[in-house]
Amino acid sequence: MKAAIFKGKGRIEIEERPKPAIKEATDAVVRVVRSCVCGSDLWYYRGIAPHPVGPIGHEFIGVVEEVGARVASIKPGDFVITPFAFSDGTCPNCAHGFHTACLHGGFFGGGDDGMGCQAEYVRVPQADGTLATAPGSDFSDEVLASLLTLSDVMGTGYHAAVSAEVKEGDTVAVVGDGAVGLSGVLSAKLLGAKRIIALSRHADRQRLAREFGATDILEERGDAAIEAIKKLTGGIGVDAVLECVGTDEANQTAFAVARAGSVVGRVGVPHEVAIDAVGTFFRNVGMRGGPAPVRAYIDKLLPAVLDGRINPGKVFDFVTGLDGIAEAYAAMDERRAIKSLLKVSDLK
Ligand SMILES: [Zn+2]
Ligand SMILES: [Zn+2]
Protein backbone atom coordinates (compact mmCIF):
# COMPACT_ATOMS: atom_id res chain seq x y z
CA MET A 1 0.00 0.00 0.00
CA LYS A 2 0.96 3.65 -0.28
CA ALA A 3 1.86 5.46 2.93
CA ALA A 4 3.16 8.93 3.75
CA ILE A 5 6.63 8.65 5.25
CA PHE A 6 8.23 11.35 7.40
CA LYS A 7 11.84 11.59 6.23
CA GLY A 8 13.04 14.42 8.45
CA LYS A 9 12.51 18.16 8.72
CA GLY A 10 10.49 19.48 5.77
CA ARG A 11 10.36 16.12 3.95
CA ILE A 12 7.29 13.92 3.54
CA GLU A 13 7.22 11.33 0.74
CA ILE A 14 4.97 8.51 -0.40
CA GLU A 15 6.45 5.02 -0.20
CA GLU A 16 5.22 1.47 -0.65
CA ARG A 17 4.71 -0.31 2.68
CA PRO A 18 3.19 -3.71 3.54
CA LYS A 19 -0.57 -3.53 4.03
CA PRO A 20 -1.24 -3.86 7.78
CA ALA A 21 -2.61 -7.17 9.06
CA ILE A 22 -4.53 -8.13 12.22
CA LYS A 23 -1.95 -8.43 15.02
CA GLU A 24 -4.16 -8.76 18.12
CA ALA A 25 -7.61 -10.42 18.23
CA THR A 26 -9.06 -7.01 19.22
CA ASP A 27 -7.69 -5.25 16.09
CA ALA A 28 -9.42 -4.12 12.91
CA VAL A 29 -7.86 -3.15 9.60
CA VAL A 30 -9.55 -0.15 8.00
CA ARG A 31 -9.33 1.08 4.41
CA VAL A 32 -8.81 4.82 4.57
CA VAL A 33 -11.36 6.96 2.68
CA ARG A 34 -10.27 10.40 3.91
CA SER A 35 -7.23 11.45 5.94
CA CYS A 36 -5.71 14.84 6.68
CA VAL A 37 -2.76 16.78 8.02
CA CYS A 38 -2.94 18.02 11.61
CA GLY A 39 -1.47 21.22 13.03
CA SER A 40 0.52 18.98 15.36
CA ASP A 41 2.10 17.22 12.33
CA LEU A 42 3.60 20.60 11.48
CA TRP A 43 5.58 20.59 14.74
CA TYR A 44 7.45 17.55 13.36
CA TYR A 45 7.62 18.90 9.82
CA ARG A 46 9.19 22.12 11.09
CA GLY A 47 11.67 20.20 13.23
CA ILE A 48 10.33 21.68 16.48
CA ALA A 49 9.15 18.35 17.99
CA PRO A 50 10.78 14.96 17.35
CA HIS A 51 9.15 12.27 15.18
CA PRO A 52 10.76 9.01 14.07
CA VAL A 53 11.51 8.58 10.38
CA GLY A 54 8.61 6.49 9.07
CA PRO A 55 4.80 6.53 8.79
CA ILE A 56 2.89 9.55 10.11
CA GLY A 57 -0.64 10.93 10.55
CA HIS A 58 -3.38 10.27 13.11
CA GLU A 59 -6.74 11.44 11.68
CA PHE A 60 -8.89 9.38 9.30
CA ILE A 61 -12.26 7.87 8.45
CA GLY A 62 -12.76 4.73 6.42
CA VAL A 63 -14.38 1.39 5.80
CA VAL A 64 -13.59 -1.70 7.88
CA GLU A 65 -11.85 -4.34 5.82
CA GLU A 66 -11.11 -7.06 8.38
CA VAL A 67 -11.60 -7.66 12.12
CA GLY A 68 -9.87 -9.85 14.72
CA ALA A 69 -11.55 -12.86 16.37
CA ARG A 70 -12.50 -10.96 19.54
CA VAL A 71 -14.04 -7.91 17.85
CA ALA A 72 -17.79 -7.98 18.55
CA SER A 73 -19.45 -4.70 17.58
CA ILE A 74 -17.57 -3.77 14.40
CA LYS A 75 -17.77 -5.75 11.17
CA PRO A 76 -16.26 -5.62 7.69
CA GLY A 77 -18.03 -3.06 5.53
CA ASP A 78 -18.83 -0.67 8.42
CA PHE A 79 -18.11 2.99 7.77
CA VAL A 80 -16.13 4.25 10.76
CA ILE A 81 -14.76 7.40 12.37
CA THR A 82 -11.46 6.84 14.17
CA PRO A 83 -10.39 9.07 17.07
CA PHE A 84 -6.70 10.04 17.12
CA ALA A 85 -6.28 7.87 20.24
CA PHE A 86 -7.36 4.24 20.55
CA SER A 87 -9.12 3.06 23.71
CA ASP A 88 -10.95 0.01 25.06
CA GLY A 89 -14.01 2.01 26.14
CA THR A 90 -14.37 -0.12 29.27
CA CYS A 91 -11.62 0.76 31.79
CA PRO A 92 -12.33 3.23 34.64
CA ASN A 93 -10.74 6.17 32.77
CA CYS A 94 -12.86 5.48 29.66
CA ALA A 95 -15.95 5.04 31.85
CA HIS A 96 -15.29 8.53 33.25
CA GLY A 97 -15.12 9.88 29.71
CA PHE A 98 -11.34 10.32 29.46
CA HIS A 99 -10.51 7.91 26.67
CA THR A 100 -7.11 9.55 26.04
CA ALA A 101 -6.08 8.20 29.48
CA CYS A 102 -7.29 4.65 28.67
CA LEU A 103 -5.37 2.00 30.62
CA HIS A 104 -5.10 -0.09 27.43
CA GLY A 105 -4.99 2.77 24.96
CA GLY A 106 -2.48 4.76 22.97
CA PHE A 107 -2.10 7.15 20.08
CA PHE A 108 -2.05 6.73 16.31
CA GLY A 109 0.58 8.53 14.31
CA GLY A 110 3.44 6.29 13.36
CA GLY A 111 5.52 3.23 13.96
CA ASP A 112 6.02 0.35 11.60
CA ASP A 113 2.96 -1.61 12.65
CA GLY A 114 0.38 0.03 10.42
CA MET A 115 -0.66 2.95 12.62
CA GLY A 116 0.38 5.88 10.50
CA CYS A 117 -2.93 7.23 9.21
CA GLN A 118 -1.82 9.17 6.11
CA ALA A 119 -1.91 5.85 4.28
CA GLU A 120 -4.23 3.56 2.32
CA TYR A 121 -4.84 1.19 5.26
CA VAL A 122 -4.53 1.46 9.05
CA ARG A 123 -4.46 -1.13 11.81
CA VAL A 124 -6.81 -0.06 14.63
CA PRO A 125 -6.18 -1.59 18.09
CA GLN A 126 -9.12 -2.04 20.52
CA ALA A 127 -11.53 -1.81 17.58
CA ASP A 128 -14.71 -2.22 19.66
CA GLY A 129 -13.85 0.67 21.95
CA THR A 130 -12.10 2.88 19.42
CA LEU A 131 -14.23 2.90 16.29
CA ALA A 132 -17.51 4.77 15.97
CA THR A 133 -19.85 3.74 13.17
CA ALA A 134 -21.97 6.25 11.28
CA PRO A 135 -25.38 5.26 9.98
CA GLY A 136 -25.80 5.25 6.20
CA SER A 137 -23.42 4.49 3.39
CA ASP A 138 -23.82 7.42 1.07
CA PHE A 139 -22.19 10.65 2.20
CA SER A 140 -21.37 13.73 0.12
CA ASP A 141 -17.80 15.06 0.00
CA GLU A 142 -18.96 17.87 2.27
CA VAL A 143 -20.35 15.51 4.92
CA LEU A 144 -17.27 13.25 4.71
CA ALA A 145 -15.08 16.30 5.41
CA SER A 146 -17.16 17.14 8.49
CA LEU A 147 -17.12 13.52 9.70
CA LEU A 148 -13.33 13.55 9.36
CA THR A 149 -13.09 16.49 11.79
CA LEU A 150 -14.68 14.29 14.49
CA SER A 151 -11.43 12.31 14.41
CA ASP A 152 -9.62 15.23 16.03
CA VAL A 153 -10.11 18.97 15.48
CA MET A 154 -13.86 19.30 16.06
CA GLY A 155 -13.72 16.98 19.08
CA THR A 156 -10.70 18.88 20.38
CA GLY A 157 -12.36 22.29 19.97
CA TYR A 158 -15.45 20.89 21.67
CA HIS A 159 -13.30 19.60 24.53
CA ALA A 160 -11.89 23.11 25.00
CA ALA A 161 -15.43 24.50 25.26
CA VAL A 162 -16.65 21.72 27.61
CA SER A 163 -13.52 22.08 29.78
CA ALA A 164 -14.09 25.86 29.97
CA GLU A 165 -17.68 25.12 31.05
CA VAL A 166 -19.25 27.23 28.30
CA LYS A 167 -22.97 27.63 28.89
CA GLU A 168 -26.04 29.39 27.49
CA GLY A 169 -25.61 33.16 27.26
CA ASP A 170 -21.87 33.22 28.00
CA THR A 171 -19.29 35.60 26.64
CA VAL A 172 -16.37 33.45 25.44
CA ALA A 173 -12.87 34.23 24.20
CA VAL A 174 -11.11 31.82 21.81
CA VAL A 175 -7.32 32.08 21.64
CA GLY A 176 -6.02 30.51 18.42
CA ASP A 177 -7.39 30.62 14.88
CA GLY A 178 -6.16 27.27 13.56
CA ALA A 179 -8.59 24.46 12.74
CA VAL A 180 -8.94 23.66 16.47
CA GLY A 181 -9.57 27.28 17.47
CA LEU A 182 -12.17 27.62 14.71
CA SER A 183 -13.79 24.37 15.88
CA GLY A 184 -13.75 25.91 19.37
CA VAL A 185 -15.74 28.88 18.08
CA LEU A 186 -18.27 26.49 16.53
CA SER A 187 -18.44 24.48 19.77
CA ALA A 188 -18.96 27.56 21.95
CA LYS A 189 -21.84 28.52 19.65
CA LEU A 190 -23.27 24.99 19.87
CA LEU A 191 -23.18 25.20 23.68
CA GLY A 192 -25.14 28.45 23.62
CA ALA A 193 -22.52 31.19 23.94
CA LYS A 194 -24.01 34.59 23.13
CA ARG A 195 -20.85 36.54 22.44
CA ILE A 196 -17.73 34.87 21.01
CA ILE A 197 -14.52 36.87 20.74
CA ALA A 198 -12.04 35.25 18.35
CA LEU A 199 -8.39 36.28 18.18
CA SER A 200 -7.27 36.13 14.56
CA ARG A 201 -5.23 38.16 12.11
CA HIS A 202 -5.74 36.13 8.93
CA ALA A 203 -8.60 37.18 6.64
CA ASP A 204 -9.59 33.62 5.60
CA ARG A 205 -9.71 32.45 9.22
CA GLN A 206 -11.59 35.56 10.35
CA ARG A 207 -14.24 34.87 7.71
CA LEU A 208 -14.70 31.27 8.85
CA ALA A 209 -14.70 32.30 12.52
CA ARG A 210 -17.60 34.65 11.78
CA GLU A 211 -19.41 31.93 9.85
CA PHE A 212 -18.93 29.56 12.81
CA GLY A 213 -20.41 32.11 15.26
CA ALA A 214 -17.75 34.63 16.29
CA THR A 215 -19.34 38.00 17.09
CA ASP A 216 -16.08 39.93 17.58
CA ILE A 217 -12.71 39.50 15.88
CA LEU A 218 -9.58 40.96 17.44
CA GLU A 219 -6.30 41.21 15.55
CA GLU A 220 -4.32 42.27 18.62
CA ARG A 221 -1.93 39.93 20.41
CA GLY A 222 -0.36 39.78 23.86
CA ASP A 223 -0.98 42.77 26.14
CA ALA A 224 -2.90 44.61 23.40
CA ALA A 225 -5.29 41.63 23.07
CA ILE A 226 -5.79 41.52 26.84
CA GLU A 227 -6.57 45.23 26.90
CA ALA A 228 -9.00 44.94 23.98
CA ILE A 229 -10.92 42.04 25.57
CA LYS A 230 -11.08 43.85 28.91
CA LYS A 231 -12.46 46.87 27.08
CA LEU A 232 -15.16 44.74 25.40
CA THR A 233 -16.22 43.26 28.76
CA GLY A 234 -16.36 46.38 30.93
CA GLY A 235 -12.99 45.57 32.49
CA ILE A 236 -14.26 42.27 33.95
CA GLY A 237 -13.08 39.62 31.48
CA VAL A 238 -14.97 36.77 29.80
CA ASP A 239 -17.06 33.93 31.26
CA ALA A 240 -15.01 31.20 29.57
CA VAL A 241 -11.72 31.01 27.66
CA LEU A 242 -10.66 28.42 25.09
CA GLU A 243 -6.87 28.14 24.77
CA CYS A 244 -6.14 26.41 21.47
CA VAL A 245 -2.46 27.19 20.82
CA GLY A 246 -0.19 26.02 23.62
CA THR A 247 2.44 28.78 23.57
CA ASP A 248 3.29 30.85 26.64
CA GLU A 249 1.86 34.00 25.06
CA ALA A 250 -1.47 32.30 24.27
CA ASN A 251 -1.72 30.99 27.84
CA GLN A 252 -0.83 34.38 29.38
CA THR A 253 -3.57 35.98 27.27
CA ALA A 254 -6.09 33.25 28.16
CA PHE A 255 -5.58 33.50 31.92
CA ALA A 256 -5.47 37.31 31.89
CA VAL A 257 -8.84 37.69 30.15
CA ALA A 258 -10.66 35.07 32.25
CA ARG A 259 -13.03 36.80 34.66
CA ALA A 260 -13.00 35.93 38.38
CA GLY A 261 -14.50 32.49 38.90
CA SER A 262 -14.21 31.33 35.28
CA VAL A 263 -12.31 28.42 33.76
CA VAL A 264 -9.68 28.30 31.02
CA GLY A 265 -10.21 25.20 28.85
CA ARG A 266 -6.91 24.37 27.23
CA VAL A 267 -6.23 21.97 24.39
CA GLY A 268 -3.00 23.43 23.01
CA VAL A 269 -0.10 21.20 24.06
CA PRO A 270 1.87 23.49 26.43
CA HIS A 271 5.31 24.47 25.18
CA GLU A 272 7.31 26.18 27.96
CA VAL A 273 4.27 27.70 29.62
CA ALA A 274 4.44 29.30 33.09
CA ILE A 275 1.02 29.76 34.70
CA ASP A 276 0.66 32.33 37.48
CA ALA A 277 -0.39 30.21 40.51
CA VAL A 278 -0.86 33.22 42.78
CA GLY A 279 -2.74 35.48 40.34
CA THR A 280 -5.15 32.69 39.31
CA PHE A 281 -5.64 31.83 43.00
CA PHE A 282 -6.75 35.30 44.02
CA ARG A 283 -9.15 35.53 41.07
CA ASN A 284 -10.50 31.99 41.56
CA VAL A 285 -9.65 31.18 37.93
CA GLY A 286 -9.70 27.47 37.06
CA MET A 287 -7.76 25.46 34.53
CA ARG A 288 -8.95 22.28 32.80
CA GLY A 289 -8.26 20.43 29.60
CA GLY A 290 -5.70 18.18 27.99
CA PRO A 291 -5.65 15.65 25.15
CA ALA A 292 -9.27 15.62 24.01
CA PRO A 293 -11.19 12.39 24.58
CA VAL A 294 -12.74 12.83 21.13
CA ARG A 295 -14.27 9.32 21.31
CA ALA A 296 -16.50 10.60 24.13
CA TYR A 297 -17.88 13.41 21.94
CA ILE A 298 -18.57 11.54 18.68
CA ASP A 299 -21.99 10.33 19.83
CA LYS A 300 -23.02 13.93 20.52
CA LEU A 301 -21.39 15.61 17.50
CA LEU A 302 -22.22 12.99 14.86
CA PRO A 303 -25.99 13.75 14.83
CA ALA A 304 -25.19 17.48 14.64
CA VAL A 305 -23.09 16.84 11.51
CA LEU A 306 -25.61 14.48 9.92
CA ASP A 307 -28.56 16.83 10.41
CA GLY A 308 -26.53 19.78 9.12
CA ARG A 309 -26.54 21.79 12.37
CA ILE A 310 -22.75 22.08 12.16
CA ASN A 311 -20.43 21.94 9.19
CA PRO A 312 -16.93 21.76 10.72
CA GLY A 313 -15.50 20.32 7.48
CA LYS A 314 -15.23 23.92 6.24
CA VAL A 315 -11.85 24.08 7.99
CA PHE A 316 -10.49 22.09 5.03
CA ASP A 317 -9.49 24.58 2.38
CA PHE A 318 -6.92 22.46 0.55
CA VAL A 319 -7.78 19.09 -0.99
CA THR A 320 -5.45 16.63 -2.68
CA GLY A 321 -4.79 12.90 -2.98
CA LEU A 322 -2.27 10.86 -1.02
CA ASP A 323 0.26 11.52 -3.81
CA GLY A 324 -0.05 15.25 -3.09
CA ILE A 325 1.10 14.80 0.52
CA ALA A 326 4.20 17.02 0.24
CA GLU A 327 2.08 19.88 -1.07
CA ALA A 328 -0.56 19.24 1.64
CA TYR A 329 2.07 19.84 4.33
CA ALA A 330 3.72 22.75 2.51
CA ALA A 331 0.38 24.55 2.06
CA MET A 332 -0.26 24.42 5.81
CA ASP A 333 3.34 25.23 6.70
CA GLU A 334 3.23 28.34 4.50
CA ARG A 335 -0.23 29.25 5.85
CA ARG A 336 -1.76 28.99 2.38
CA ALA A 337 -4.18 26.51 3.92
CA ILE A 338 -5.92 26.22 7.27
CA LYS A 339 -6.07 22.43 6.99
CA SER A 340 -5.31 19.97 4.20
CA LEU A 341 -7.62 17.06 3.37
CA LEU A 342 -6.42 13.89 1.63
CA LYS A 343 -8.86 12.00 -0.61
CA VAL A 344 -7.39 8.53 -0.24
CA SER A 345 -10.12 6.32 -1.71
CA ASP A 346 -13.78 6.35 -2.69
CA LEU A 347 -16.41 5.43 -0.15
CA LYS A 348 -17.49 2.37 -2.16
ZN1 LIG B 1 -4.59 15.94 14.99
ZN1 LIG C 1 -10.05 2.48 28.61
Side-chain angles (χ1 to χ4, degrees):
M1 70 160 182
K2 285 183 191 172
I5 304 295
F6 176 75
K7 311 280 271 188
K9 188 180 169 184
R11 284 179 59 209
I12 305 277
E13 290 169 18
I14 295 297
E15 281 184 4
E16 275 298 317
R17 290 275 155 142
K19 184 180 162 187
I22 301 288
K23 216 164 129 182
E24 307 281 343
T26 46
D27 286 352
V29 171
V30 179
R31 171 173 61 84
V32 177
V33 172
R34 296 287 185 274
S35 182
C36 53
V37 181
C38 183
S40 65
D41 294 330
L42 289 184
W43 290 88
Y44 314 129
Y45 184 79
R46 290 172 176 161
I48 299 165
H51 191 286
V53 169
I56 188 168
H58 56 263
E59 302 173 17
F60 78 102
I61 54 176
V63 176
V64 176
E65 177 112 331
E66 197 186 345
V67 297
R70 282 178 53 214
V71 175
S73 61
I74 301 289
K75 56 184 190 312
D78 283 349
F79 173 77
V80 289
I81 298 159
T82 314
F84 66 87
F86 59 88
S87 57
D88 59 12
T90 54
C91 77
N93 288 340
C94 285
H96 287 115
F98 287 87
H99 299 68
T100 40
C102 177
L103 298 178
H104 307 107
F107 296 89
F108 289 99
D112 272 324
D113 50 358
M115 288 169 58
C117 304
Q118 289 157 4
E120 287 182 303
Y121 295 88
V122 175
R123 182 176 71 86
V124 177
Q126 307 288 359
D128 279 329
T130 305
L131 296 170
T133 55
S137 55
D138 197 17
F139 302 109
S140 65
D141 273 351
E142 196 184 1
V143 171
L144 284 175
S146 285
L147 294 174
L148 177 59
T149 68
L150 303 187
S151 181
D152 186 349
V153 287
M154 182 59 201
T156 296
Y158 194 75
H159 185 56
V162 168
S163 297
E165 299 175 7
V166 173
K167 54 187 187 316
E168 200 76 37
D170 272 357
T171 294
V172 177
V174 180
V175 182
D177 66 354
V180 170
L182 292 165
S183 300
V185 169
L186 188 55
S187 300
K189 176 84 179 166
L190 196 60
L191 291 171
K194 189 175 165 198
R195 186 170 196 188
I196 302 172
I197 304 164
L199 271 58
S200 172
R201 40 173 64 167
H202 303 95
D204 51 341
R205 293 160 195 238
Q206 292 176 352
R207 201 179 324 113
L208 195 51
R210 284 215 185 268
E211 201 178 328
F212 279 174
T215 52
D216 303 81
I217 305 276
L218 294 179
E219 295 201 347
E220 290 86 345
R221 273 195 197 161
D223 289 343
I226 296 167
E227 209 174 294
I229 292 174
K230 286 280 181 70
K231 209 169 160 191
L232 287 175
T233 55
I236 300 300
V238 297
D239 302 314
V241 187
L242 280 54
E243 195 288 303
C244 306
V245 184
T247 60
D248 189 55
E249 186 184 70
N251 275 275
Q252 298 312 329
T253 302
F255 282 94
V257 303
R259 70 156 164 79
S262 69
V263 179
V264 173
R266 55 185 193 143
V267 291
V269 181
H271 291 266
E272 293 174 22
V273 173
I275 288 157
D276 173 12
V278 176
T280 50
F281 175 84
F282 280 102
R283 291 190 298 120
N284 274 277
V285 168
M287 169 174 84
R288 294 199 65 192
V294 300
R295 182 66 186 85
Y297 300 129
I298 291 176
D299 297 343
K300 179 159 250 155
L301 297 174
L302 180 60
V305 166
L306 294 179
D307 69 19
R309 248 182 305 146
I310 57 171
N311 198 348
K314 288 191 173 168
V315 295
F316 293 109
D317 54 355
F318 185 91
V319 180
T320 181
L322 202 49
D323 288 324
I325 191 76
E327 187 56 17
Y329 273 77
M332 283 174 67
D333 180 45
E334 293 157 20
R335 291 188 184 276
R336 283 182 277 128
I338 300 171
K339 192 167 172 70
S340 299
L341 181 138
L342 304 167
K343 280 188 172 186
V344 180
S345 69
D346 291 333
L347 194 51
K348 283 172 195 161

